[in-house]
Coordinates of all heavy atoms in Angstrom, one line a residue:
S275 N 23.0 -5.8 55.0 CA 24.1 -5.9 56.0 C 25.2 -5.0 55.8 O 26.1 -4.9 56.7 CB 24.6 -7.4 55.8 OG 25.3 -7.5 54.6
G276 N 25.2 -4.3 54.7 CA 26.3 -3.4 54.4 C 27.2 -4.0 53.3 O 28.1 -3.3 52.8
H277 N 27.2 -5.3 53.1 CA 28.0 -5.9 52.1 C 27.6 -5.6 50.7 O 26.4 -5.6 50.5 CB 28.0 -7.5 52.3 CG 28.6 -8.2 51.3 ND1 30.0 -8.2 51.0 CD2 28.2 -9.1 50.3 CE1 30.4 -8.9 50.0 NE2 29.2 -9.4 49.5
N278 N 28.5 -5.4 49.8 CA 28.1 -5.2 48.4 C 29.0 -6.1 47.6 O 30.2 -5.9 47.5 CB 28.5 -3.7 48.1 CG 27.9 -3.3 46.7 OD1 27.5 -4.2 45.8 ND2 27.5 -2.1 46.5
P279 N 28.3 -7.1 46.9 CA 29.1 -8.0 46.0 C 29.7 -7.3 44.8 O 30.5 -8.0 44.2 CB 28.0 -9.1 45.7 CG 26.8 -8.3 45.8 CD 26.9 -7.3 46.9
R280 N 29.3 -6.1 44.5 CA 29.9 -5.4 43.3 C 30.4 -4.1 43.9 O 29.8 -3.0 43.6 CB 28.9 -5.3 42.2 CG 28.4 -6.6 41.6 CD 27.4 -6.3 40.5 NE 26.6 -7.6 40.3 CZ 25.3 -7.6 40.0 NH1 24.7 -6.5 39.8 NH2 24.6 -8.7 39.8
P281 N 31.4 -4.0 44.6 CA 31.8 -2.8 45.3 C 32.5 -1.7 44.5 O 32.5 -0.5 44.9 CB 32.9 -3.3 46.4 CG 33.4 -4.6 45.8 CD 32.3 -5.2 45.0
T282 N 33.0 -2.0 43.2 CA 33.7 -1.0 42.5 C 33.1 -1.1 41.0 O 32.4 -1.9 40.7 CB 35.2 -1.3 42.4 OG1 35.4 -2.5 41.6 CG2 35.8 -1.6 43.8
G283 N 33.6 -0.1 40.3 CA 33.1 0.0 38.9 C 33.5 -1.2 38.1 O 32.8 -1.5 37.1
K284 N 34.6 -1.9 38.5 CA 35.0 -3.1 37.7 C 33.9 -4.2 37.8 O 33.6 -4.7 36.7 CB 36.2 -3.6 38.4 CG 36.7 -5.0 37.8 CD 37.8 -5.6 38.7 CE 38.0 -7.0 38.5 NZ 39.1 -7.6 39.3
E285 N 33.5 -4.4 39.0 CA 32.4 -5.5 39.1 C 31.1 -5.1 38.4 O 30.5 -6.0 37.7 CB 32.1 -5.8 40.5 CG 33.2 -6.6 41.2 CD 34.3 -5.5 41.8 OE1 34.1 -4.3 41.8 OE2 35.3 -6.0 42.3
R286 N 30.8 -3.8 38.6 CA 29.6 -3.3 37.9 C 29.6 -3.3 36.3 O 28.6 -3.6 35.7 CB 29.1 -2.0 38.5 CG 29.0 -2.0 40.0 CD 28.3 -0.7 40.5 NE 29.2 0.3 40.6 CZ 29.9 0.5 41.7 NH1 29.9 -0.3 42.7 NH2 30.8 1.6 41.8
F287 N 30.8 -2.9 35.8 CA 30.9 -2.9 34.4 C 30.8 -4.3 33.9 O 30.3 -4.7 32.8 CB 32.2 -2.2 34.0 CG 32.4 -2.0 32.5 CD1 31.7 -0.9 31.9 CD2 33.0 -2.9 31.7 CE1 31.8 -0.8 30.4 CE2 33.2 -2.7 30.4 CZ 32.5 -1.6 29.7
R288 N 31.6 -5.2 34.5 CA 31.6 -6.6 34.2 C 30.2 -7.2 34.2 O 29.8 -8.0 33.2 CB 32.5 -7.4 35.1 CG 32.5 -8.9 34.8 CD 33.4 -9.7 35.8 NE 33.0 -9.5 37.2 CZ 33.6 -9.8 38.2 NH1 34.9 -10.2 38.1 NH2 33.2 -9.7 39.5
Q289 N 29.4 -6.8 35.2 CA 28.1 -7.3 35.3 C 27.2 -6.8 34.1 O 26.4 -7.7 33.5 CB 27.4 -6.8 36.5 CG 25.8 -6.9 36.5 CD 25.3 -8.4 36.5 OE1 26.1 -9.3 36.9 NE2 24.1 -8.6 36.1
R290 N 27.4 -5.6 33.6 CA 26.7 -5.1 32.5 C 26.9 -6.0 31.2 O 26.0 -6.4 30.5 CB 26.9 -3.7 32.2 CG 26.2 -3.1 31.0 CD 26.2 -1.6 30.9 NE 25.8 -1.2 29.6 CZ 24.6 -1.1 29.1 NH1 23.6 -1.5 29.9 NH2 24.4 -0.7 27.8
V291 N 28.2 -6.2 31.0 CA 28.6 -7.0 29.8 C 28.2 -8.4 29.9 O 27.6 -9.0 28.9 CB 30.1 -6.8 29.6 CG1 30.5 -7.8 28.4 CG2 30.6 -5.4 29.4
M292 N 28.4 -9.0 31.1 CA 28.0 -10.3 31.3 C 26.5 -10.5 31.1 O 26.1 -11.5 30.6 CB 28.5 -10.9 32.6 CG 30.0 -11.0 32.8 SD 30.4 -12.6 32.0 CE 32.1 -12.9 32.6
H293 N 25.7 -9.7 31.7 CA 24.2 -9.8 31.6 C 23.7 -9.8 30.2 O 23.0 -10.6 29.9 CB 23.6 -8.6 32.4 CG 22.1 -8.8 32.5 ND1 21.3 -7.8 32.8 CD2 21.3 -9.9 32.4 CE1 20.1 -8.2 32.8 NE2 20.1 -9.5 32.5
K294 N 24.3 -9.0 29.3 CA 23.7 -8.8 28.0 C 24.3 -9.9 27.1 O 23.5 -10.4 26.3 CB 24.1 -7.5 27.4 CG 23.5 -6.3 28.0 CD 23.6 -5.0 27.3 CE 22.6 -4.1 27.8 NZ 21.2 -4.5 27.7
F295 N 25.5 -10.4 27.3 CA 26.1 -11.3 26.3 C 26.4 -12.7 26.8 O 26.8 -13.5 26.0 CB 27.5 -10.6 25.8 CG 27.2 -9.4 25.1 CD1 27.3 -8.1 25.7 CD2 26.8 -9.3 23.7 CE1 27.1 -7.0 25.0 CE2 26.6 -8.2 23.1 CZ 26.7 -7.0 23.8
K296 N 26.1 -12.9 28.1 CA 26.2 -14.3 28.7 C 25.1 -14.8 29.4 O 24.4 -15.7 29.1 CB 27.5 -14.4 29.6 CG 27.6 -15.7 30.3 CD 28.7 -15.8 31.2 CE 28.5 -16.9 32.3 NZ 28.0 -18.0 31.9
Y297 N 24.6 -14.0 30.5 CA 23.6 -14.4 31.4 C 22.2 -14.5 30.7 O 21.4 -15.4 30.8 CB 23.4 -13.6 32.6 CG 24.7 -13.4 33.5 CD1 25.1 -12.3 34.1 CD2 25.5 -14.5 33.6 CE1 26.2 -12.1 34.8 CE2 26.8 -14.4 34.4 CZ 27.0 -13.2 35.0 OH 28.2 -13.0 35.7
F298 N 22.1 -13.4 29.9 CA 20.7 -13.4 29.0 C 20.7 -14.6 28.0 O 19.7 -15.2 27.8 CB 20.6 -12.0 28.4 CG 19.1 -11.7 28.1 CD1 18.4 -11.0 29.0 CD2 18.5 -12.0 26.9 CE1 17.1 -10.6 28.8 CE2 17.2 -11.7 26.7 CZ 16.5 -11.0 27.7

Side-chain angles (χ1 to χ4, degrees):
S275 65
H277 171 66
N278 193 335
R280 299 179 199 143
T282 73
K284 168 190 166 181
E285 291 85 7
R286 295 191 283 274
F287 188 82
R288 179 180 61 193
Q289 165 63 22
R290 176 168 166 75
V291 175
M292 285 285 195
H293 186 198
K294 292 194 166 299
F295 297 95
K296 170 180 160 46
Y297 304 145
F298 206 88

